Amino acid sequence: QKEVEQNSGPLSVPEGAIASLNCTYSDRGSQSFFWYRQYSGKSPELIMFIYSNGDKEDGRFTAQLNKASQYVSLLIRDSQPSDSATYLCAAEARNQFYFGTGTSLTVIP
Amino acid sequence: SQTIHQWPATLVQPVGSPLSLECTVEGTSNPNLYWYRQAAGRGLQLLFYSVGIGQISSEVPQNLSASRPQDRQFILSSKKLLLSDSGFYLCAWSVDQNTEAFFGQGTRLTVV
């Protein structure tokens, strides 16, 4: 069983719509969760982190964490073509970061 | 502010040749350091992590090794590269295991 699992997509949304990205993790001991954005050929860059159950908002981005369901999500409001990228979910476990395989998002103008 | 440097950006090496990739972090002390590999179209695979000088943990058996000769320096090495070693190698650092990791620019390695 993989530590972190994501739907690989691809996910396509029209410009201005809400993009919803989902992630599940296997280690109930994980305390910290992260969303990264990776453009093609580039290294991942951090978008958000979340430690507590519930929602955390930062601009157009909202991260949601449900520890009982071992579920993390990222909502992108008012999606822009520049949001087109692969989104990686990560969870901390056993002193390391484990990454999902990423979800490819395309925002259609 | 903290910065991470990773070089080279691209590398083409023949099968059987050695490898040395270097990563340094500035602006912080005693960071956790990580080496990841990302094969084409795949996720990030953790190769090594280090919580201090000389302390290296390996996640997967392979012909790669890592060393941390100084607090903010992390080196990935191989004595003999395989075709399967091709990929995008990423160095990252974090304050500790519970805080976010920051990545270097990556090294795209092609073994021919």
Side-chain angles (χ1 to χ4, degrees), chain A residues 94-97, chain B residues 4 23 25 28-36 46-59 65-76 90-99 101:
Chain A
R94 300 185 296 283
N95 297 321
Q96 304 153 33
F97 297 96
Chain B
I4 179 169
C23 170
V25 180
T28 187
S29 296
N30 197 33
N32 283 11
L33 296 172
Y34 311 86
W35 277 111
Y36 288 89
L46 179 64
L47 301 175
F48 300 95
Y49 72 96
S50 171
V51 298
I53 295 175
Q55 301 177 59
I56 309 294
S57 296
S58 174
E59 277 295 286
S65 62
S67 62
R68 186 170 177 173
Q70 300 180 42
D71 180 42
R72 291 170 287 180
Q73 183 184 29
F74 206 21
I75 298 172
L76 182 69
L90 290 155
C91 180
W93 76 274
S94 68
V95 172
D96 58 42
Q97 68 271 16
N98 292 318
T99 57

Side-chain angles (χ1 to χ4, degrees), chain A residues 88-102:
Chain A
L88 303 172
C89 173
E92 167 277 330
R94 300 185 296 283
N95 297 321
Q96 304 153 33
F97 297 96
Y98 290 95
F99 285 82
T101 54

Side-chain angles (χ1 to χ4, degrees), chain B residues 67-86:
Chain B
S67 62
R68 186 170 177 173
Q70 300 180 42
D71 180 42
R72 291 170 287 180
Q73 183 184 29
F74 206 21
I75 298 172
L76 182 69
S77 304
S78 174
K79 293 182 179 179
K80 288 186 177 182
L81 284 169
L82 307 172
L83 285 174
S84 58
D85 291 324
S86 295

Side-chain angles (χ1 to χ4, degrees), chain A:
Chain A
Q1 182 184 10
K2 293 183 179 178
E3 297 286 348
V4 176
E5 300 210 39
Q6 294 180 253
N7 185 332
S8 61
L11 174 65
S12 294
V13 300
E15 184 175 355
I18 296 175
S20 178
L21 306 165
N22 306 314
C23 169
T24 59
Y25 61 95
S26 62
D27 190 334
R28 285 195 173 274
S30 294
Q31 297 294 319
S32 309
F33 306 90
F34 309 88
W35 282 100
Y36 288 81
R37 177 175 61 198
Q38 186 177 24
Y39 292 112
S40 180
K42 302 296 185 182
S43 61
E45 53 182 341
L46 180 72
I47 299 174
M48 292 189 68
F49 58 86
I50 185 167
Y51 303 144
S52 304
N53 272 329
D55 295 357
K56 179 181 179 182
E57 186 174 320
D58 183 0
R60 296 186 296 112
F61 300 95
T62 299
Q64 300 173 317
L65 173 60
N66 183 324
K67 290 187 178 181
S69 301
Q70 296 176 247
Y71 178 87
V72 190
S73 66
L74 179 70
L75 300 178
I76 306 175
R77 291 181 299 281
D78 188 24
S79 295
Q80 302 296 309
S82 59
D83 294 327
S84 297
T86 296
Y87 289 80
L88 303 172
C89 173
E92 167 277 330
R94 300 185 296 283
N95 297 321
Q96 304 153 33
F97 297 96
Y98 290 95
F99 285 82
T101 54
T103 298
S104 175
L105 171 67
T106 299
V107 180
I108 303 168

Side-chain angles (χ1 to χ4, degrees), chain B residues 6-15 17-22 35 64 76-78 81-83 85-89 105-112:
Chain B
Q6 185 182 344
W7 65 92
T10 60
L11 191 59
V12 179
Q13 291 284 98
V15 168
S17 64
L19 173 73
S20 180
L21 301 180
E22 188 166 342
W35 277 111
L64 300 172
L76 182 69
S77 304
S78 174
L81 284 169
L82 307 172
L83 285 174
D85 291 324
S86 295
F88 192 38
Y89 287 82
Q105 67 171 0
T107 296
R108 188 160 305 281
L109 172 67
T110 304
V111 182
V112 296

